[in-house]
């Protein structure tokens, strides 16, 4: 599949506007399905999303990136927080977030517990328990489920 031609086709069919720049695969993307670059107008897409989730999901991601693209060149709010972006994304049935990939490695959740008030904190990254304390009572934190890292 020629990616740029596919994006041009989706742009004409779903937006009624031409896509005049380049689209390319970016294997370094991990947590996102695509990216829009306002500096030069090109789009990057995650090939794993296409391979593992299929063409239907990938088309919705292309629509999402094209919302950024077309709104930017129309001088409207093209960022995720902007109302124009949210309305256009809903209108063209684009995805707001990429579904998790089936074989993506997930970091284990670490659970820290305050020794004084038993408040729990879930984190993906380790924290230095000598430096950080409980946000409620300033008690000492201990790691509930230590891993072998």
């Amino acid at each position: 599949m020629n990616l740029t031609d596919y994006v041009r086709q989706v742009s004409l069919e779903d937006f009624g506007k031409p896509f005049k720049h380049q689209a390319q695969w970016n294997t370094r993307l991990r947590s996102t399905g695509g990216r829009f670059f306002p500096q030069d107008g090109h789009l990057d897409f995650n090939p794993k999303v296409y391979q593992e989730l299929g063409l239907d999901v990938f088309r919705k991601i292309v629509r999402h990136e094209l919302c950024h693209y077309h709104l930017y060149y129309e001088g409207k709010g093209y960022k995720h927080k902007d109302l124009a972006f949210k309305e256009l994304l809903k209108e063209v049935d684009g995805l707001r977030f990429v579904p998790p990939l089936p074989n993506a490695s997930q970091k284990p959740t670490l659970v820290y517990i305050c020794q004084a008030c038993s408040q729990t904190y879930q984190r993906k990254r380790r924290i230095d328990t000598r430096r950080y304390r409980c946000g409620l009572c300033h008690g000492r934190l201990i790691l509930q489920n230590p891993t072998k890292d």
Side-chain angles (χ1 to χ4, degrees):
M1 163 171 68
N2 185 332
L3 183 60
T4 301
D5 290 342
Y6 180 73
V7 173
R8 286 184 178 141
Q9 174 191 346
V10 171
S11 181
L12 286 173
E13 290 175 4
D14 297 344
F15 292 85
K17 301 172 187 173
F19 174 69
K20 299 176 183 176
H21 292 83
Q22 295 295 313
Q24 58 196 26
W25 297 112
N26 185 343
T27 56
R28 293 171 297 164
L29 296 178
R30 296 278 180 245
S31 62
T32 184
R35 288 184 63 197
F36 165 60
F37 292 85
Q39 302 88 355
D40 62 357
H42 84 275
L43 301 176
D44 278 1
F45 291 99
N46 186 344
K48 289 183 180 179
V49 172
Y50 173 65
Q51 295 162 357
E52 297 179 19
L53 298 177
L55 188 60
D56 292 335
V57 173
F58 182 69
R59 185 177 181 109
K60 291 183 179 190
I61 292 168
V62 170
R63 289 177 190 152
H64 176 106
E65 298 309 321
L66 283 171
C67 285
H68 290 296
Y69 175 84
H70 289 302
L71 290 170
Y72 177 78
Y73 286 107
E74 290 172 6
K76 298 179 181 176
Y78 67 97
K79 296 181 181 177
H80 289 122
K81 65 182 179 180
D82 296 324
L83 184 61
F85 176 80
K86 291 177 183 178
E87 289 174 349
L88 183 59
L89 187 65
K90 189 174 182 179
E91 184 181 319
V92 297
D93 190 30
L95 277 181
R96 182 80 168 95
F97 300 103
V98 178
L101 297 174
N103 60 2
S105 60
Q106 296 288 333
K107 287 186 177 181
T109 301
L110 302 171
V111 178
Y112 292 90
I113 298 178
C114 174
Q115 288 182 326
C117 69
S118 300
Q119 171 71 25
T120 61
Y121 298 93
Q122 294 185 359
R123 298 290 182 267
K124 294 289 184 187
R125 294 183 179 180
R126 286 185 169 269
I127 60 173
D128 185 358
T129 56
R130 294 170 293 174
R131 182 175 176 191
Y132 293 98
R133 297 290 185 126
C134 174
L136 297 177
C137 71
H138 302 288
R140 189 167 180 262
L141 298 176
I142 57 169
L143 180 60
Q144 169 86 21
N145 53 352
T147 59
K148 296 178 183 178
D149 289 343

